[in-house]
Amino acid sequence: MTGEAGRPRDPEVDRRVLSAAAEVFGEDGWGRFTVDSVARRAGVGKASIYLRWPNKKELLASCLEARITPVADIDTGSVREDLVRLAEQMLTAFFGESGRATTRLLLEADRIPGVAERVAQLRQAQVLAARAIVRRGIARGELHGGTSVTLLLDAIVGGCLNHALAAPAHLRPQVAAGLTDYAGELVDFVLGAVTAG
Amino acid sequence: MTGEAGRPRDPEVDRRVLSAAAEVFGEDGWGRFTVDSVARRAGVGKASIYLRWPNKKELLASCLEARITPVADIDTGSVREDLVRLAEQMLTAFFGESGRATTRLLLEADRIPGVAERVAQLRQAQVLAARAIVRRGIARGELHGGTSVTLLLDAIVGGCLNHALAAPAHLRPQVAAGLTDYAGELVDFVLGAVTAG
C-alpha cells in the first residue's frame, strides 16, 4: 500500500478527531453533525477521518463509546464506596469536556439510526452493573432486604443528573470543583433511608 | 382596523400554534425552529402566527411559559403531599405531549437568546417554591431540623428526571400509566431518610 493509508496512524489525530466530534455533537446535535464540521474543528483533513471511520455514524458511535465509562468495573466490597464512585463517574461525565455531548445523548440517542442501538446496549450494561452494586449491598447485609433497587438508583443517579443540569452556566466551574464532596453527601443522604442496622 | 388584524382572535388557533411549536422545538431543537415549520405543522398561515407573535423567540417563549407549571401553587399543609404533587407535575411535564420539548429545554435553553432569561426566571421561581415546600415541612416538625433541602430535592426531582429519561421508547406508555404510583413511592422512599419521629 502507498499513500496516506500506508502510513502508521497517528493516535494524536484520533484523539483530536474524537474530541472534536464530541464538541460538535454536543453543541449542534445530530441534525448538524457532519464529517466536514468535525474535520474543521479538529484541524484535520476529511480524508484523515474517512481513513479511520467509514461514515459519520461510525465516527459518532466511536466517540461516544470512548466516553461512556463501564460501571461494571466498580466493586470495592462496600456499597457506599461503590455508589460514591458511580455518582462521581456520572457527575464527571456531565461536567467533563464532553458534558454537553453526554446531555445531548440523553435527548437524541434514540433518534440516531445505527447509534441508538449501541448506546442502548451500553446503557443497559450500565444499568445492570448499577443494579448489581445495590444487590451485593443487600446480600452483604449493608442494606435492608426490602430495599427497592430502582428507587435507590433513581434517587442517586437522578440526584447527580439534577445537580448537573440545574447548575447555571456561571456556577459550573464552582459546582465542578465540588463534585467529589457532593457525591459522598448525596450517597450518604439517600442511604439514610435504607441502611440496615 | 380592517383585515385579519381586526377580527377577533381564535383561541383554537393559538392552541394549535403553541402545540405545534412545542412539537417542532422538541423534535428539531432551536437550530431548526422556524415560524414556517410551526405554521406548516399547525396547518395555519404564517400571517396568523405573525399576527400574534412578532418573531420566533416570542413564539417559543410563549409556548414554554404556557407549559411550565408554577410549583408555587402547591401548599397542602403536608410535606409528603406537597412533594408527591411536585413529583407528579415533573413527571407529567416529561411524559405529556410536550415531553420532548421539556427535555430539550434542559439542554438548549441557555443558548437561545431572549428565551434563556425567561426560562431561567421560571426555573428560579420553581426552585424557590420547591425549597419552600421542604422548609415548611421542617418548620412543622415533619422533617428533621438538619434536613438538607438541596439533597432532598435533588433526590426527588432528579429521581423523576431519571425515571423519565431512562424509560425506553417502547415502555413509555406503560411507565406513563404508572406515574402517580411512582411519585408516591419515590417520595416515601426519600422521606425515609429524613422523617422526624
Side-chain angles (χ1 to χ4, degrees):
Chain A
M1 291 211 299
T2 57
E4 192 170 5
R7 276 186 254 145
R9 278 171 47 164
D10 178 353
E12 169 59 18
V13 172
D14 286 38
R15 202 200 53 75
R16 252 164 56 206
V17 170
L18 292 176
S19 168
E23 279 176 36
V24 170
F25 176 68
E27 287 171 21
D28 299 330
W30 178 246
R32 292 172 170 202
F33 185 85
T34 63
V35 169
D36 211 35
S37 56
V38 174
R40 254 180 289 127
R41 178 74 61 113
V44 305
K46 277 164 72 172
S48 297
I49 295 185
Y50 282 120
L51 184 67
R52 292 161 169 86
W53 295 278
N55 53 51
K56 66 177 189 169
K57 276 178 208 165
E58 292 299 320
L59 171 57
L60 183 62
S62 187
C63 154
L64 299 173
E65 280 165 4
R67 279 161 174 74
I68 300 185
T69 322
V71 177
D73 299 344
I74 304 178
D75 186 3
T76 64
S78 146
V79 73
R80 180 195 181 269
E81 191 57 31
D82 284 3
L83 290 172
V84 169
R85 294 201 187 176
L86 173 66
E88 283 173 351
Q89 266 191 16
M90 279 211 51
L91 291 164
T92 306
F94 282 99
F95 281 94
E97 59 149 352
S98 312
R100 197 172 273 272
T102 305
T103 315
R104 194 172 280 276
L105 252 199
L106 287 176
L107 183 65
E108 298 193 354
D110 63 331
R111 320 183 84 209
I112 311 174
V115 171
E117 300 72 15
R118 287 156 81 171
V119 170
Q121 273 171 16
L122 285 167
R123 278 219 189 115
Q124 185 58 15
Q126 284 183 322
V127 169
L128 291 177
R131 298 181 73 86
I133 288 174
V134 181
R135 292 226 181 79
R136 289 194 303 265
I138 296 173
R140 284 190 299 256
E142 294 172 283
L143 306 177
H144 289 304
T147 300
S148 163
V149 179
T150 303
L151 292 173
L152 177 61
L153 290 173
D154 274 350
I156 291 178
V157 170
C160 293
L161 206 56
N162 196 54
H163 191 64
L165 296 178
H170 69 284
L171 289 181
R172 287 184 71 82
Q174 194 178 323
V175 175
L179 289 193
T180 309
D181 287 350
Y182 179 80
E185 286 161 18
L186 177 68
V187 168
D188 286 337
F189 176 84
V190 174
L191 285 184
V194 289
T195 309
Chain B
M1 292 211 297
T2 58
E4 193 170 4
R7 276 186 253 145
R9 279 171 47 164
D10 178 354
E12 169 59 18
V13 172
D14 286 38
R15 202 201 53 75
R16 253 164 54 206
V17 170
L18 292 176
S19 167
E23 279 177 35
V24 170
F25 176 67
E27 286 171 23
D28 299 329
W30 178 245
R32 294 173 169 200
F33 186 85
T34 62
V35 168
D36 210 34
S37 56
V38 175
R40 253 180 288 128
R41 179 74 61 114
V44 305
K46 276 164 71 171
S48 297
I49 295 184
Y50 283 119
L51 184 67
R52 293 160 169 87
W53 296 278
N55 53 51
K56 65 177 188 168
K57 276 179 211 165
E58 292 298 322
L59 171 56
L60 183 62
S62 186
C63 155
L64 299 173
E65 281 165 3
R67 278 160 176 75
I68 300 184
T69 322
V71 178
D73 299 343
I74 304 179
D75 186 3
T76 64
S78 145
V79 73
R80 179 193 182 270
E81 191 57 32
D82 283 3
L83 290 171
V84 169
R85 292 199 188 178
L86 173 65
E88 283 173 349
Q89 266 190 16
M90 280 212 50
L91 291 163
T92 306
F94 282 100
F95 281 93
E97 59 148 351
S98 312
R100 197 172 274 272
T102 305
T103 316
R104 193 173 279 277
L105 251 199
L106 287 174
L107 183 64
E108 298 193 354
D110 62 331
R111 320 184 82 210
I112 311 174
V115 171
E117 299 72 16
R118 287 156 80 170
V119 171
Q121 274 170 17
L122 284 167
R123 277 219 190 114
Q124 186 58 15
Q126 284 184 321
V127 169
L128 292 177
R131 298 182 73 86
I133 288 175
V134 181
R135 292 227 180 78
R136 289 194 304 265
I138 296 173
R140 284 191 299 256
E142 294 171 284
L143 305 177
H144 289 303
T147 299
S148 163
V149 179
T150 303
L151 292 173
L152 177 61
L153 289 174
D154 275 350
I156 291 177
V157 170
C160 292
L161 207 54
N162 195 55
H163 190 65
L165 296 178
H170 69 284
L171 290 180
R172 288 184 70 84
Q174 197 178 322
V175 175
L179 289 192
T180 309
D181 288 350
Y182 179 80
E185 285 161 19
L186 177 68
V187 168
D188 286 337
F189 176 85
V190 174
L191 286 184
V194 289
T195 309

